[in-house]
Every structure is written in C-alpha cells, then in structure tokens.
Amino acid sequence: MDLKQLEYFVRVAELGSFTRASIVLDIAQPALSRQIRLLEVELRQNMLVRNGRGVTLTEAGKVLLEHARGILHQVERAREELGRVRGALTGRVAVGLPPSLARVLTVPLTRAFRERLPEASLCIREGLSVTMQESLISGRLDVALVYSTMPSTDIETRPLLDEELFLIRPNKGQPPRPVTLEEVAQMPLIIPSRPNAIRMLIEAALADAGLRPNIAIEIDGVSALLDLVADDAGVAVLSKTALQTSGKADQLLPHPITPPLHSRLSLAVSALRPATLTQQAMVELIRETVGKTLRT
C-alpha cells in the first residue's frame, strides 16, 4: 500500500462519499475508486460498503482508518521534524473564520503567520460555525474559530472570549437605550437561518422567557443582513465586532439587551486527528491574535 492510497481511503471514509472525496482531493472519481479498489485487493478485504447514499466502513475498514490516520500523521510529523532540523516549521494549515471576524482577523493573522511560520502555507476559509465543524471532522480544516457550538465527541473546543450581543437598529440620531427581551420579541427580526449559533442562542433565550421571535427575514450573510437593517427592513442581534467590521457602523446603532446575551467564541480542532507541530503553532498564533485584536 502507498501513502496516497491511505490518504484517499481516509478522505472517502471521513466524508462517506466518493463524490465528495473526489472534490476535496481534486481527483477524478473513477481514478479515486480504482485506487481504493487496489488497496482492498492488496489487503484482501473490503474496506468500504457502497450504497445509494454513499459508503460505510466495514469492520476491517474501521481498523484501517484508525491506523491510516496515525500513519499519515506520523509522516506529516516526520516532514515537520526534518524541517525543524533546518530551523523551520513546514506544512499547510487550513483555518476557518466566521464572516463576522474574518474582516478584522485575516490581515493581522496572516501577517503574524508569515513572520512566525515563513516556510509553512496558510489557507483561510470563511464559514458558519456548523459548516466549519463539519469541515474539521472531514479534514478540510485544521483549526477554526466557532461561536456557541454544541458539545461533540469529534471536536475539541477551547473558549477564548464571550462577546455581548446587541440589538442593531438604524441610526436615526437617537441615543442607544437598553431593550428588554420582551421588546426584542416584538420587533421584526432579520436573522440567519438555523442552525446558525447566534440564531439558536437568541431563540433559546427567548424561549426561556416564554417568548418567540418575530422573524421578518432569514438571511445568512452578515453584510447583507446589516444592509437590510440599514434599509429599515427590521432589526438584528449581533456583536459589536460584527457591526464595527461591517463598514456600516455610522449607519447603525447598537442597543444593549437586558438581561445581557453573550455568544462564546471558541477555538476548535478535530478530536479525530492529533495536531501537527505546525498546527499547534497556528493554534497559539490564533489565540494571541484574537487576544490582541478583539480584546483591545
């Protein structure tokens, strides 16, 4: 067996689909299927069961998946150790950022990465917290910043900070004033669709108070959402960071909510694969950058 076959097998197993794996690996599906079949022939056992919905692992496949992850990780560690011998950490790190933070974190994070890890390569992707969790599990992301995620055995999270949420309304010259949850429930709300983390948090807080949101429009893009608020189509509930990085801070006004609502920002990594040295360095770099950028 060769390393490419193991890598292909791991991706197909994690994604549960030859089609999805071929897209992630950028390889034609027939070629991918042929390589997996060659691996099965060499090992004289079927590793995957094909069905109409994708693939599932056989018992032999589950054993191979555990070993293959370890083998691929050790190969990556060997490459990094050899790079460190000549004084550098190498390898590729894929980082996921929520849209509300990407605008404020991308430049300082990239600058720090180039200074600290000049021989490594960086990939940054924007996405919703739920989508980024799926990408961590599948291996498309190595580390991500996520909001208020549900506990998962496949994901390890480390809280970084709590951000207070505010009611965002058009700025009509009035001073900001505290608004109650009862008032929030009565206003036309422009909000992301489920299972967005802030959407779930708002609905849970209102439900605890015996209230239901008055949802006017569902939209997932933060920029477009705030455009609608600026156009007086409704109100939103977001952090000040999302407002300040939107370029619309002069058009909109944040009002504190009582009792306060907080969204937790956490650093997430996969629990299925141990982090490489370069990924570990990136985790610390993200922690430092968030501390300097969002706490100032």
Side-chain angles (χ1 to χ4, degrees):
M1 75 183 80
D2 64 36
L3 293 175
K4 276 295 180 187
Q5 288 175 340
L6 289 178
E7 180 185 359
Y8 294 164
F9 167 73
V10 168
R11 287 293 175 265
V12 173
E14 290 179 338
L15 294 171
S17 164
F18 277 93
T19 302
R20 290 195 289 268
S22 69
I23 294 171
V24 171
L25 293 166
D26 193 22
I27 180 176
Q29 190 171 330
L32 177 60
S33 297
R34 184 169 59 253
Q35 289 299 318
I36 297 298
R37 187 56 192 157
L38 288 173
L39 180 63
E40 291 178 319
V41 169
E42 180 178 352
L43 297 175
R44 293 184 293 179
Q45 295 187 78
N46 289 330
M47 301 295 140
L48 301 166
V49 176
R50 286 80 167 170
N51 56 54
R53 297 182 301 277
V55 298
T56 57
L57 288 167
T58 64
E59 286 303 313
K62 292 176 183 177
V63 172
L64 179 61
L65 179 60
E66 182 178 350
H67 285 286
R69 283 171 172 158
I71 291 168
L72 293 174
H73 175 69
Q74 288 303 317
V75 170
E76 187 62 31
R77 288 291 295 268
R79 290 196 182 106
E80 290 190 358
E81 290 289 349
L82 289 170
R84 196 166 63 162
V85 168
R86 58 185 172 83
L89 289 176
T90 61
R92 176 179 179 274
V93 184
V95 177
L97 299 176
S100 60
L101 294 182
R103 191 167 184 175
V104 69
L105 286 178
T106 297
V107 171
L109 185 60
T110 302
R111 185 183 297 124
F113 178 86
R114 293 170 65 184
E115 292 174 356
R116 190 84 58 89
L117 303 167
E119 296 199 29
S121 60
L122 175 64
C123 171
I124 295 179
R125 296 174 180 152
E126 289 186 34
L128 301 178
S129 294
V130 171
T131 303
M132 290 193 291
Q133 281 185 280
E134 295 172 354
S135 295
L136 286 169
I137 294 170
S138 69
R140 284 173 288 180
L141 289 178
D142 300 307
V143 57
L145 289 176
V146 296
Y147 279 110
S148 303
T149 56
M150 297 295 291
S152 169
T153 57
D154 296 330
I155 300 292
E156 293 179 2
T157 58
R158 310 169 196 179
L160 292 181
L161 58 87
D162 286 343
E163 288 191 291
E164 185 174 355
L165 299 180
F166 292 79
L167 180 79
I168 310 298
R169 304 176 73 175
N171 187 354
K172 298 180 180 179
Q174 75 277 32
R177 66 171 183 85
V179 296
T180 64
L181 286 177
E182 288 77 9
E183 290 177 288
V184 172
Q186 294 170 6
M187 298 178 187
L189 197 60
I190 304 173
I191 195 169
S193 59
R194 295 191 187 95
N196 175 272
I198 290 180
R199 163 76 176 261
M200 305 301 283
L201 188 153
I202 294 168
E203 288 189 336
L206 290 176
D208 288 343
L211 302 167
R212 296 180 62 183
N214 173 22
I215 297 174
I217 302 171
E218 291 184 320
I219 187 165
D220 291 330
V222 174
S223 180
L225 186 153
L226 290 175
D227 281 340
L228 288 170
V229 176
D231 196 49
D232 214 4
V235 301
V237 176
L238 292 170
S239 67
K240 277 189 177 179
T241 300
L243 176 59
Q244 291 165 352
T245 60
S246 67
K248 303 178 180 66
D250 58 335
Q251 304 174 47
L252 303 169
L253 193 66
H255 299 259
I257 298 172
T258 56
L261 299 180
H262 291 90
S263 181
R264 172 160 292 181
L265 179 67
S266 298
L267 196 153
V269 297
S270 171
L272 302 175
R273 292 175 298 278
T276 66
L277 295 175
T278 302
Q279 290 165 6
Q280 292 173 23
M282 191 67 205
V283 166
E284 291 307 312
L285 200 57
I286 293 173
R287 190 191 302 274
E288 292 175 17
T289 305
V290 168
K292 293 176 182 176
T293 306
L294 299 186
R295 289 193 176 98
T296 55

